[in-house]
Amino acid sequence: MSDAPGLPDGYEFSADPARVDVDRVHGWLSTDTYWAQGRPRETHERAMASSINFGVYGTASGEQVAYARVVTDRALFAWLADVYVDPSVRGKGIGTAFVGRVRDHLEPYGLRRILLATQDAHGVYEKLGFRPLDRPEQWMAHAFG
């Protein structure tokens, strides 16, 4: 299905949770995002444990440069969350290629939809077939606290 560009030379995609640099990812999300600012480490680890975790890594260094996780029932629905690309590699096409690889990794499950929320990256996701909800008036949310 992939209409996503490939990762630039020198970078590789992985769905191996053992490769995720939890300290680095928690640092990114808890200090450099609008959606997870101040997220406690323990909360972050619980979220990761209940998700499929993905990363992009430098092939020479092994250093993680991007992260995303997906919450899914592996049958009908998935929620793409915590997509982050290190500022040092932004602008190289890594984000678009990464999200495309995550989407393609989920395709064999036969999901009806993948949802996400974003304030500022609509263009990245639109390149990969994501669209605004057809009938947002049908969707509801409950927030604790």
Side-chain angles (χ1 to χ4, degrees), residues 6-19:
L7 285 167
D9 288 342
Y11 296 96
E12 64 184 346
F13 171 86
S14 177
D16 179 355
R19 288 191 71 183

Side-chain angles (χ1 to χ4, degrees), residues 13-57:
F13 171 86
S14 177
D16 179 355
R19 288 191 71 183
V20 174
D21 182 337
V22 179
D23 290 332
R24 184 176 184 104
V25 171
H26 177 255
W28 284 334
L29 298 177
S30 66
T31 64
D32 193 35
T33 65
Y34 62 83
W35 67 88
Q37 195 72 223
R39 179 185 289 169
R41 169 72 182 246
E42 187 270 333
T43 301
H44 172 68
E45 289 179 1
R46 278 195 345 253
M48 289 182 68
S50 298
S51 302
I52 303 172
N53 296 272
F54 302 94
V56 173
Y57 304 86

Side-chain angles (χ1 to χ4, degrees), residues 2-140:
S2 188
D3 55 351
L7 285 167
D9 288 342
Y11 296 96
E12 64 184 346
F13 171 86
S14 177
D16 179 355
R19 288 191 71 183
V20 174
D21 182 337
V22 179
D23 290 332
R24 184 176 184 104
V25 171
H26 177 255
W28 284 334
L29 298 177
S30 66
T31 64
D32 193 35
T33 65
Y34 62 83
W35 67 88
Q37 195 72 223
R39 179 185 289 169
R41 169 72 182 246
E42 187 270 333
T43 301
H44 172 68
E45 289 179 1
R46 278 195 345 253
M48 289 182 68
S50 298
S51 302
I52 303 172
N53 296 272
F54 302 94
V56 173
Y57 304 86
T59 52
S61 67
E63 182 177 77
Q64 187 166 2
V65 298
Y67 174 77
R69 66 186 184 88
V70 172
V71 181
T72 182
D73 60 10
R74 291 180 169 89
L76 300 171
F77 175 84
W79 178 265
L80 176 59
D82 290 341
V83 178
Y84 187 90
V85 176
D86 188 273
S88 69
V89 298
R90 289 182 189 161
K92 296 182 177 186
I94 289 172
T96 301
F98 180 39
V99 172
R101 293 291 304 270
V102 169
R103 181 204 57 199
D104 293 350
H105 183 90
L106 299 173
E107 186 177 12
Y109 296 135
L111 303 170
R112 291 189 61 202
R113 66 182 45 92
I114 303 169
L115 290 178
L116 61 89
T118 184
Q119 286 183 358
D120 58 2
H122 295 81
V124 170
Y125 298 107
E126 287 170 348
K127 291 176 192 175
L128 298 165
F130 288 85
R131 301 286 177 258
L133 295 173
D134 288 335
R135 293 186 292 258
E137 70 279 1
Q138 291 182 347
W139 292 85
M140 298 180 72

